[in-house]
Amino acid sequence: MRLFEMLLFFSSACLLGILFIYNQRIRRSALLLASGAGFIFLVIHFLVEGYRVQLLFLYGFTLLMLMRSLIDVFRTQKAVRTVSRIRRVLGRLFIVIGLIATACFHYVFPVFGLPAPTGEFKVGTQTFHFVDTHREEIFGKARDGKRELMVQVWYPAQAGTGKHAPFIPDTRILSYMGADYGLPGFTFGHLKYVSSHAYSGAEVSSAQPSYPLILANPGFGSSRFLHTTQAENLASHGYIVAVIDHTYNTFATEFPDGRITTSNTNDLFSPDHDYRTESGNRDQLGKILTGDVSFVLDQFGLIQSGQIPSHLQGSVDLGHVGVFGHSIGGATAYDASYDPRIAVGIDLDGALYRLRDREALRKPFLFINSESEFEKIKMVRDNRVYTDAELKRMGSTREWTDQVREDKKLELEQMRQTVKAGGQVLYIENTEHLNFSDVQFISPIFKMLGITGKIAPERASSVINAYMLDFFDKYLKNQGGILMKGPDSRFPEVKFVNLMM
């Protein structure tokens, strides 16, 4: 809770308490003082912190009590109106319920703080709009019918000035985020007040002549903003990190001309959809996402040479390139790593695609899974099938799980071969799928509902960031690699997986 939100809530609680004072003279004076203070807090809150829907009751109650106190000042004793006991009780009960509801709304939808980066560098950020003139857009309408992308870059910066950039600067898309979770559009409007730790447009740090490049890919229905913590942390340790908004696979993407696209690939993940068919399938989507990575890497060649204007010109080490992603973005990271320009990659809890008729990836690659995803892999590894009761609990069908199981067998074999080339497979206890993005910070209710795991979001983030950094350091900077050697007492949640059992 922000400072003046706390003061406003405290003044409202005081106003409620004053209503129970029997002595009218004392009550009148106290009400005037408390409502005046509450109004001051309200004005400062609006000017400094900004309003939010979750506090509407506090705003209304504060103004109502101020008006009542001012009326009492000018009302004569003869004009005092008698209010029945029942109405007084009901009115105060309504206020109590309103304050409790406001506290609950505030708890469920906090203006939170993102974990600070752990590296020595300040962090800068810049956003690019790229148009691939060689690819047609097949998922929706685009400018000139070509595939276009928004890409946000985080990088080591000189000491920044001014305020940090907002966590989600494109505030128009927040209404689409609410809809993506089946909630009213205003639900996540308060996220515009969450700050990142990066400075917009800051100069690149001159501490090194260039920095390794890492390309990142959000999951289905996600967004580049939801990997801010990971990107900032890597940038603070000397990496240039470009997170790609894969158009029509995000909950919303806003382009410079004001157009907003939303996700329309939902059916590719439905149990009613055979994603192994030749047209309109998950593999087809995967091919497009992989193509996005290749195209963005091409654009960084133009940035490095100065053909695309940017602070980053001359600072991108294109000889040391990595990639990571979450969910289908993790699968994208794996598939994109076949590109000889990419040296190393990380898959955060993503099932692979385009598995048929191709050899396994033969370069260092790290798989970090949630405990739930590991259980699926373990079932295939141990040749166990779901019981009817398990299928009913998951709301799935035998046909669908058999189809997925066949793909999991291929995936497991690919992972085995990749591990032999220097890769590793881990899982983190008490994590769920969304612990691998900044979704886990948005609301504590996600943890209660099991959408994220039992692990504390801050702990999950620090563990994931530590292992990602160690892996990239080992293969892109020829340093670190300590965490890849085996279990570490600092991270007891991390379990190394033997795929050969």
Side-chain angles (χ1 to χ4, degrees):
M1 185 176 286
R2 296 175 293 175
L3 174 60
F4 287 99
E5 289 180 354
M6 288 191 294
L7 293 174
L8 189 58
F9 191 90
F10 177 74
S11 67
S12 296
C14 289
L15 286 169
L16 173 62
I18 291 170
L19 294 179
F20 287 92
I21 296 177
Y22 180 76
N23 186 295
Q24 289 189 13
R25 180 175 297 180
I26 296 176
R27 182 173 63 194
R28 182 182 300 178
S29 300
L31 190 63
L32 180 62
L33 180 63
S35 62
F39 180 72
I40 293 173
F41 297 150
L42 176 61
V43 172
I44 298 176
H45 162 67
F46 266 67
L47 294 176
V48 176
E49 297 176 334
Y51 79 95
R52 49 185 302 197
V53 174
Q54 290 84 1
L55 303 183
L56 280 179
F57 180 85
L58 289 188
Y59 304 154
F61 180 56
T62 299
L63 294 175
L64 181 64
M65 289 297 100
L66 178 63
M67 287 188 292
R68 173 177 171 175
S69 65
L70 292 176
I71 291 171
D72 283 347
V73 169
F74 298 102
R75 178 186 288 165
T76 64
Q77 187 64 31
K78 293 181 179 179
V80 174
R81 182 167 54 93
T82 303
V83 180
S84 71
R85 180 181 180 85
I86 293 178
R87 290 179 61 184
R88 287 200 304 270
V89 171
L90 290 177
R92 293 165 187 173
L93 180 61
F94 172 77
I95 295 169
V96 170
I97 293 173
L99 291 177
I100 292 174
T102 298
C104 291
F105 285 139
H106 194 280
Y107 175 76
V108 173
F109 303 110
V111 178
F112 58 89
L114 292 171
T118 60
E120 62 181 6
F121 290 102
K122 298 290 185 180
V123 179
T125 186
Q126 181 179 2
T127 302
F128 295 90
H129 175 218
F130 296 139
V131 180
D132 189 346
T133 58
H134 299 291
R135 287 193 299 162
E136 301 293 328
E137 180 58 76
I138 68 170
F139 288 121
K141 295 180 180 179
R143 189 180 69 184
D144 300 325
K146 301 300 182 181
R147 180 73 171 167
E148 55 183 324
L149 303 168
M150 295 301 297
V151 178
Q152 188 164 355
V153 182
W154 286 262
Y155 54 88
Q158 301 283 29
T161 58
K163 293 183 178 180
H164 288 124
F167 171 46
I168 302 182
D170 297 341
T171 54
R172 289 178 63 208
I173 73 171
L174 289 172
S175 61
Y176 295 91
M177 186 177 184
D180 195 57
Y181 285 91
L183 298 170
F186 59 78
T187 304
F188 295 114
H190 64 286
L191 294 184
K192 64 185 177 184
Y193 301 125
V194 176
S195 175
S196 72
H197 297 92
Y199 298 94
S200 294
E203 292 295 327
V204 181
S205 173
S206 58
Q208 298 175 199
S210 62
Y211 301 91
L213 173 65
I214 297 175
L215 305 172
N217 307 275
F220 166 74
S222 187
S223 167
R224 68 183 189 266
F225 306 121
L226 297 179
H227 290 276
T228 296
T229 301
Q230 293 161 355
E232 287 184 344
N233 194 66
L234 287 168
S236 76
H237 286 274
Y239 291 93
I240 294 173
V241 185
V243 187
I244 305 167
D245 254 1
H246 294 282
T247 312
Y248 294 108
N249 199 55
T250 63
F251 67 79
T253 297
E254 183 174 5
F255 292 96
D257 60 6
R259 288 174 298 121
I260 293 179
T261 62
T262 57
S263 175
N264 62 8
T265 55
N266 307 49
D267 62 325
L268 302 182
F269 299 85
S270 167
D272 299 323
H273 187 86
D274 186 349
Y275 56 67
R276 296 177 299 179
T277 56
E278 288 301 320
S279 61
N281 57 38
R282 187 174 184 271
D283 281 0
Q284 184 186 34
L285 172 62
K287 184 177 180 181
I288 292 170
L289 302 185
T290 301
D292 290 346
V293 177
S294 178
F295 167 66
V296 170
L297 186 50
D298 293 339
Q299 301 312 291
F300 270 92
L302 301 179
I303 290 172
Q304 176 70 354
S305 65
Q307 296 179 62
I308 295 178
S310 171
H311 297 296
L312 301 173
Q313 179 182 349
S315 299
V316 187
D317 182 358
L318 294 173
H320 295 85
V321 179
V323 63
F324 78 88
H326 171 234
S327 193
I328 196 170
T332 301
Y334 185 89
D335 199 56
S337 293
Y338 284 90
D339 189 322
R341 296 174 294 177
I342 295 176
V344 61
I346 299 175
D347 178 352
L348 301 175
D349 212 39
L352 305 182
Y353 55 69
R354 298 177 70 190
L355 295 167
R356 290 162 180 76
D357 304 321
R358 70 188 308 182
E359 293 185 0
L361 183 67
R362 301 285 184 167
K363 61 178 63 173
F365 201 89
L366 175 63
F367 300 90
I368 307 180
N369 289 314
S370 65
E371 187 167 2
S372 296
E373 181 63 22
F374 166 69
E375 289 300 324
K376 297 176 185 177
I377 296 173
K378 184 179 178 182
M379 285 188 69
V380 177
R381 184 195 67 183
D382 299 343
N383 200 31
R384 190 175 78 82
V385 298
Y386 286 112
T387 65
D388 290 338
E390 288 173 325
L391 290 173
K392 184 177 181 180
R393 187 170 62 252
M394 294 187 299
S396 187
T397 64
R398 179 71 62 186
E399 292 76 16
W400 169 256
T401 53
D402 286 346
Q403 175 178 307
V404 173
R405 182 179 179 80
E406 289 304 310
D407 280 358
K408 279 293 181 187
K409 289 180 180 179
L410 295 174
E411 181 181 352
L412 183 59
E413 186 56 34
Q414 290 267 21
M415 293 170 68
R416 284 170 173 162
Q417 296 303 317
T418 300
V419 167
K420 292 179 180 179
Q424 189 59 265
V425 181
L426 315 171
Y427 79 91
I428 304 174
E429 286 185 328
N430 295 318
T431 56
E432 294 291 344
H433 193 57
L434 292 182
N435 282 115
F436 293 85
S437 75
D438 289 339
V439 169
Q440 64 181 333
F441 299 113
I442 291 176
S443 176
I445 199 69
F446 290 164
K447 183 177 179 180
M448 297 178 187
L449 296 175
I451 296 174
T452 58
K454 297 177 182 178
I455 190 172
E458 294 77 12
R459 178 61 181 175
S461 178
S462 66
V463 172
I464 293 166
N465 283 342
Y467 278 80
M468 288 177 63
L469 176 64
D470 188 68
F471 193 75
F472 282 133
D473 277 352
K474 179 177 181 180
Y475 292 104
L476 296 181
K477 292 186 175 181
N478 196 30
Q479 64 187 39
I482 296 174
L483 296 179
M484 293 301 109
K485 295 179 180 180
D488 191 297
S489 60
R490 294 171 297 173
F491 303 101
E493 312 94 331
V494 177
K495 306 299 179 183
F496 283 70
V497 178
N498 182 359
L499 297 180
M500 305 305 172
M501 293 175 61

